[in-house]
Amino acid sequence: MFFPYDEKKAVELVIPEIKTSEILCETRLFQLKRNLYPDNMERIFISHPGAVTIIATTIENQLVLIQQFRAPTGKWLWEIPAGTLEPGEDPQVCAVRELEEETGFAGCHWQHLFQVYLAPGYSSEQIHFFRAREVYPVEEARAGDEDEEIYYLKVSTNQARAMMKQGEIQDAKTMLALQCWLEELN
């Protein structure tokens, strides 16, 4: 069912009560859950602890991108560095760690920009966007996950625009981040 928006009723919208909740599958990173609500409404979704992503630029204002294999797509994708939050972890602590683990870089100036839900139709994952300026290589960087193979590339604004235009960048969070970075330069 759908209804026209009524500004007077908007404040009266109520979050449906969960009648039952069941974990269908649990992994190291998330749970697949089924919630039942009144009127036989059923929702199956991924319960995710959240994530961070970093718009990291060097002192020369080059953006640091990473390329890694993404099994669900069957492709190697260009992305900005990102990672999953540990339970109860501060997002900025996670962002600092992930930048170093995925690129071998550390940042001088950090800023939390915003947070968004990536795919709220099937996942609770909320991702925090950070801006790291004047990133530099760390001599003895922390090791990343053993099962990850990651390559990094520093790109100029023109290279980033060309990569987006040519479809080399297909990751949504990276496209959003690039738009933020390019807008920042105007």
Side-chain angles (χ1 to χ4, degrees):
M1 295 169 82
F2 55 91
F3 306 96
Y5 180 75
D6 183 341
E7 196 171 309
K8 292 176 186 167
K9 289 185 178 179
V11 294
E12 298 173 18
L13 292 177
V14 177
I15 305 297
E17 176 189 342
I18 299 171
K19 296 291 187 186
T20 63
S21 184
E22 174 185 10
I23 297 171
L24 303 174
C25 176
E26 189 163 10
T27 73
R28 177 176 68 84
L29 296 177
F30 61 83
Q31 298 174 330
L32 182 63
K33 293 176 90 174
R34 176 184 11 224
N35 285 356
L36 295 176
Y37 300 87
D39 299 325
N40 295 318
M41 181 174 75
E42 175 189 65
R43 295 295 183 263
I44 297 174
F45 61 94
I46 296 168
S47 178
H48 192 283
V52 299
T53 195
I54 307 106
I55 304 168
T57 53
T58 65
I59 196 162
E60 298 86 12
N61 205 33
Q62 290 182 301
L63 180 71
V64 180
L65 292 175
I66 62 170
Q67 188 178 49
Q68 62 183 324
F69 179 69
R70 293 300 196 178
T73 67
K75 297 178 180 180
W76 286 81
L77 296 181
W78 285 109
E79 304 175 20
I80 59 173
T84 302
L85 288 162
E86 298 293 334
E89 184 177 26
D90 178 83
Q92 185 160 343
V93 170
C94 181
V96 169
R97 182 188 75 243
E98 290 295 338
L99 179 64
E100 189 174 330
E101 286 180 0
E102 293 197 344
T103 66
F105 284 77
C108 288
H109 308 286
W110 286 86
Q111 177 186 7
H112 183 270
L113 299 176
F114 54 87
Q115 54 209 47
V116 298
Y117 288 101
L118 286 182
Y122 67 84
S123 175
S124 67
E125 182 179 4
Q126 188 175 55
I127 191 162
H128 297 259
F129 279 72
F130 283 89
R131 181 72 171 88
R133 290 177 174 80
E134 298 181 22
V135 300
Y136 57 92
V138 176
E139 212 167 291
E140 292 185 36
R142 298 178 231 220
D145 296 338
E146 288 183 20
D147 65 345
E148 289 182 325
E149 185 176 339
I150 299 174
Y151 301 91
Y152 78 86
L153 175 70
K154 296 183 284 183
V155 297
S156 68
T157 55
N158 289 338
Q159 289 170 306
R161 282 188 185 100
M163 289 174 81
M164 278 203 316
K165 187 175 182 177
Q166 295 163 4
E168 292 179 60
I169 295 175
Q170 297 180 335
D171 175 63
K173 73 179 176 313
T174 301
M175 294 176 90
L176 177 58
L178 288 175
Q179 290 300 324
C180 292
W181 177 52
L182 295 171
E183 186 176 295
E184 170 186 298
L185 301 173
N186 290 336

